Every structure is written in C-alpha cells, then in structure tokens.
Amino acid sequence: MAQALDCLDGKAYLILDMNLPDGVGLTVLQKARIENPAIKTVVYSGTDDAALMDAVAEHHPDHVFRKPVMMGEIIGWLDAQSRPPDDTSPQPRNDGDDQQNQ
C-alpha cells in the first residue's frame, strides 16, 4: 500500500484491489482522489463485504470489476478509455486465452 501511495503523482490510471497485503485498498483510493482528482480509478475485488464496497462507491471509481476477472477485460476497458469518443476501430477480443486473475 505504501508503494501505491508514493506513486500517485502524475498517473492517469490507478488499478487497485481492495484487499492488499499491507492494508485496505480503500485507503489508497481515498488518497488518490484527494491527491489526483483526475486519475481514473479501476477497482477489482472479490470481497463480499458490502460495507466496504459501499465505501468504495462513495469515492466514485471509474469502473469496478468483480473477481474473478480476466486481465483482458481490464485491458479492454483501459484501451476503450484511451480512445477518442468517435473512434470506431475494433476493440481487442477476449478469447479466454489470457490468465484469469484471482
């Protein structure tokens, strides 16, 4: 968690699990919104803790993925965010060949 907090300046995206080895990702999300309000935040979590996910929602993440999630889904979302709104080029397909993140 400490590493994530040190790396927020100037970043466009933050991809964050809510259960971190040294803390709760909600703390990082809160700090990210304060220090870099323009940062796009992607949360992924397998937690069943409704109170935690309600607290996450209060910080308006740009997208929430529920585990298990395929890495291709996250990459596809990030790719779509980096395209101009009028870009109609094909989006990458998720053929299920990528590793499942659990």
Side-chain angles (χ1 to χ4, degrees):
M1 184 168 75
Q3 283 180 308
L5 293 173
D6 290 341
C7 297
L8 291 176
D9 286 342
K11 301 296 188 241
Y13 297 98
L14 172 64
I15 301 172
L16 185 62
D17 192 342
M18 285 297 100
N19 293 315
L20 301 173
D22 61 346
V24 177
L26 180 60
T27 303
V28 177
L29 180 61
Q30 291 167 330
K31 191 160 179 80
R33 287 297 190 203
I34 292 167
E35 291 187 10
N36 186 351
I39 196 169
K40 291 205 179 271
T41 54
V42 177
V43 170
Y44 66 99
S45 182
T47 187
D48 292 329
D49 184 340
L52 174 60
M53 294 313 289
D54 287 346
V56 167
E58 290 176 15
H59 295 282
H60 308 287
D62 293 283
H63 198 81
V64 175
F65 289 96
R66 299 293 297 180
K67 286 182 182 178
V69 60
M70 303 296 281
M71 192 54 63
E73 292 177 70
I74 296 173
I75 293 169
W77 185 88
L78 292 169
D79 184 56
Q81 300 308 301
S82 66
R83 295 173 186 226
D86 59 351
D87 186 349
T88 58
S89 59
Q91 299 215 3
R93 287 183 29 189
N94 181 357
D95 293 330
D97 291 335
D98 55 352
Q99 293 287 339
Q100 190 168 356
N101 184 2
Q102 299 201 24

